[in-house]
Amino acid sequence: MKYINLKSRPKRFFLKKFLPVFILSTIIIIVALIVSSLSGPGQVFRYVFQSSLLKSTNGNINVLLLGNAGGLHQGAHLTDTVMVASYNLKKDQLFLISLPRDLWIDAVSGKLNTVYEIGESKEGGLIFAKKVIGDVLGISIHYGLRMDFTGFVKAIDQVGGVNIGVERNFDDFYYPIEGRENDLCGWEEEEVEFDEGEAKKLNIEAGKRRVLIKDGKIATDSAEESKGFEYFSCRFEHIFFNQGATHMDGETALKFVRSRHGTDGEGSDFSRSKRQQKVIEAFKNKVLSLETLVNTQKIAALAQTFGKSLDTDIHIPEILEFYKFSKKIQLSQNFILSSSGKDSLLINPPVKDYGGSYVLIPREGDFKMIKDYVKKIIKGEIENEASTSARSGN
C-alpha cells in the first residue's frame, strides 16, 4: 500500500475521502431535529448557544474517527480507516491526521487496525483505541466515533436510494464477495514432503509443509495480489457501472464507493474518493430534502439505523456543540503519516521480522518524531507545505 508524506491537502480532498465524518454531520442534523421535536426549539437553542461543553487540551478538541466494513465476514471489525480530527478553538481551524492501518503497535503486538477490536475484549473498543492512538501521537484524545458501512447501506435504502452521475464506464473484476473471504475455491490443503530441488523451484523451505493443491498445481505464492485473484477467483465478483445518471440502492452505492480495481482510471484512491464524495453529497441532499424532513417516521428510522452502526462517546449536547463549531471552521488541512519520500516518518521493515506481515514502523525506532510533528500540526505551525508527492483534490 502506498502512502504519501505527512503533507497538507486541500479541504476538498478530505471531503471526498472520509465517509464517517460526513455521516457524523448527517447524524448531527438528525439528532438536532429529534431533540427539537421532543424538547422544543428553545431547548435546542439553549444547547447550541451556551458556553462550550466540550473537553479540550491546550485549546484543541481531539476526536478519533474510525471506519470499518461491518457485516459478518472475517475482519469486519478491523478499522481500516483511522483518523484524528483536531479542532483549534483559538484559530477555528481543523487539522485531520490520517494514520495507516498497517502501523505496527507494540502495545497490542499487532497492526493499528486491530486496536479497536482488541479493545472490545478489554475496557471497550473506543476507550482502548483512544488511549493507544493518543499515546502514539502524543496527544489527549477527548472523543471517539466508529462507524460501519452496513448502516450506511441501510440508511440509503431508507431514503429511497440516491441518484449518482457516473463520470465514465468502468469495470471491476475483483470486487470481494462478503462471506467468501476464506473460500478455497476448489483448492485442498494437504501435507507434502518437498526435497531441496522442489523447494527451490517453489521458493519455499524443504521438508514437510501444508500447502494448497488443485489439479496438481501448488498455490505457494497466493499472498501476491495477482496470484490471489488467479487462485481464488470465486471470492470476487465482476461489477460494472455505466456513464450517466444512475439510481443506486444502498448495496449498489457501497460497491460504487468501495471499488478498488476499476478500469479506465477508476482504480486509484483519488478516483475512489471522488466517487465517495458523489454518494455522500447525494445522500446528504436526500436526508435534508423536504420529503425526508417532514417524514418523522423516516427520520426516526434513520436515527435508529445509525444508532446500531455507530459507536461513539459523544452525547447529544456535545453533538450540537460540534455542529456549532463546524459552522465556524476557517481552514481545514489534512496530513497523512507516510512511508514514502526522503522525509517520511515511517519505514517498511523486512516482513520476516513481523511474521511475514507487511507493517510500518517509525523511522527512528520510536514515535518521538511523530509526536513532535503532530504537536506542530495542532498548533497550526505547519501550513500549506508543498510536496511533489502531495496530490491535489481539485
Side-chain angles (χ1 to χ4, degrees):
M1 181 177 294
K2 184 178 180 181
Y3 295 91
I4 65 171
N5 282 341
L6 257 174
K7 303 296 180 181
S8 65
R9 291 188 182 180
K11 181 177 179 181
R12 283 181 58 198
F13 184 86
F14 173 70
L15 297 182
K16 299 172 184 176
K17 181 69 177 174
F18 195 70
L19 187 60
V21 174
F22 285 88
I23 294 177
L24 177 58
S25 298
T26 303
I27 294 170
I28 288 171
I29 295 168
I30 292 173
V31 171
L33 288 168
I34 293 173
V35 172
S36 178
S37 64
L38 295 179
S39 306
Q43 185 70 15
V44 175
F45 185 89
R46 286 191 291 274
Y47 272 143
V48 174
F49 292 100
Q50 63 183 296
S51 59
S52 177
L53 302 171
L54 300 177
K55 303 172 189 174
S56 64
T57 302
N58 298 324
N60 284 85
I61 303 169
N62 303 318
V63 184
L64 175 63
L65 302 169
L66 303 172
N68 66 297
L72 302 175
H73 60 83
Q74 184 178 13
H77 300 294
L78 298 178
T79 54
D80 287 341
T81 298
V82 181
M83 178 175 286
V84 172
S86 182
Y87 181 78
N88 187 303
L89 292 166
K90 295 178 181 178
K91 299 183 179 181
D92 290 323
Q93 295 178 350
L94 182 66
F95 305 104
L96 306 149
I97 305 167
S98 296
L99 290 80
R101 65 179 184 178
D102 295 311
L103 184 63
W104 182 261
I105 306 298
D106 286 330
V108 298
S109 298
K111 295 184 181 183
L112 182 65
N113 66 348
T114 66
V115 171
Y116 178 87
E117 186 175 44
I118 291 171
E120 283 291 85
S121 62
K122 296 178 179 291
E123 54 198 302
L126 274 183
I127 295 173
F128 188 67
K130 285 164 55 180
K131 183 184 300 182
V132 171
I133 295 171
D135 288 343
V136 167
L137 299 182
I139 60 175
S140 297
I141 297 182
H142 308 106
Y143 301 97
L145 181 149
R146 191 270 312 156
M147 181 75 191
D148 73 55
F149 297 119
T150 56
F152 189 60
V153 169
K154 293 177 182 177
I156 288 179
D157 287 337
Q158 285 172 343
V159 297
V162 290
N163 295 318
I164 306 295
V166 180
E167 290 189 4
R168 60 177 69 87
N169 299 336
F170 74 90
D171 294 82
D172 184 345
F173 296 94
Y174 307 115
Y175 188 85
I177 302 173
E178 183 174 353
R180 301 191 67 175
E181 294 82 7
N182 297 314
D183 196 320
L184 293 182
C185 304
W187 294 83
E188 295 183 358
E189 189 175 25
E190 296 182 17
E191 188 172 66
V192 179
E193 178 87 35
F194 295 96
D195 59 31
E196 292 290 345
E198 293 171 328
K200 187 175 181 180
K201 289 180 181 177
L202 296 170
N203 194 29
I204 60 176
E205 294 181 5
K208 284 187 177 181
R209 292 176 59 89
R210 296 195 69 83
V211 294
L212 295 175
I213 297 178
K214 182 168 67 174
D215 300 328
K217 188 175 183 179
I218 300 175
T220 59
D221 53 357
S222 59
E224 297 177 17
E225 187 173 58
S226 60
K227 291 294 185 181
F229 291 144
E230 177 185 336
Y231 294 151
F232 304 110
S233 59
C234 73
R235 298 179 182 180
F236 308 97
E237 66 173 306
H238 170 207
I239 63 174
F240 64 91
F241 292 90
N242 294 321
Q243 183 182 26
T246 306
H247 183 78
M248 299 184 185
D249 60 13
E251 184 177 353
T252 304
L254 185 65
K255 290 179 178 179
F256 183 69
V257 301
R258 295 188 69 194
S259 171
R260 293 179 178 274
H261 300 278
T263 57
D264 297 322
E266 289 294 331
S268 69
D269 284 343
F270 183 67
S271 295
R272 180 169 171 262
S273 297
K274 289 179 67 177
R275 296 196 303 271
Q276 289 181 349
Q277 191 272 340
K278 284 179 176 291
V279 173
I280 292 165
E281 189 69 22
F283 176 64
K284 183 186 71 173
N285 292 339
K286 197 69 176 285
V287 169
L288 297 180
S289 68
L290 182 62
E291 176 189 1
T292 301
L293 294 180
V294 299
N295 190 328
T296 55
Q297 290 183 335
K298 188 171 290 187
I299 290 176
L302 283 169
Q304 184 178 25
T305 293
F306 283 126
K308 292 180 179 179
S309 300
L310 183 73
D311 181 11
T312 185
D313 54 8
I314 305 174
H315 303 295
I316 288 177
E318 295 165 330
I319 287 176
L320 295 169
E321 281 286 286
F322 276 113
Y323 176 62
K324 179 176 71 175
F325 285 124
S326 71
K327 297 168 67 176
K328 298 168 60 179
I329 294 174
Q330 299 296 315
L331 175 70
S332 178
Q333 289 183 292
N334 192 23
F335 299 83
I336 298 180
L337 289 178
S338 165
S339 62
S340 64
K342 63 179 182 179
D343 298 325
S344 61
L345 298 177
L346 302 173
I347 59 173
N348 306 113
V351 295
K352 63 181 179 62
D353 296 342
Y354 291 85
S357 296
Y358 173 92
V359 303
L360 296 168
I361 60 173
R363 179 176 291 279
E364 298 299 323
D366 59 41
F367 287 95
K368 183 180 184 305
M369 288 183 65
I370 291 174
K371 291 177 181 179
D372 290 342
Y373 201 92
V374 169
K375 286 180 182 178
K376 291 180 180 179
I377 290 174
I378 65 176
K379 287 181 180 179
E381 296 177 3
I382 303 173
E383 295 184 8
N384 301 320
E385 286 195 354
S387 170
T388 55
S389 62
R391 293 173 294 178
S392 171
N394 297 321

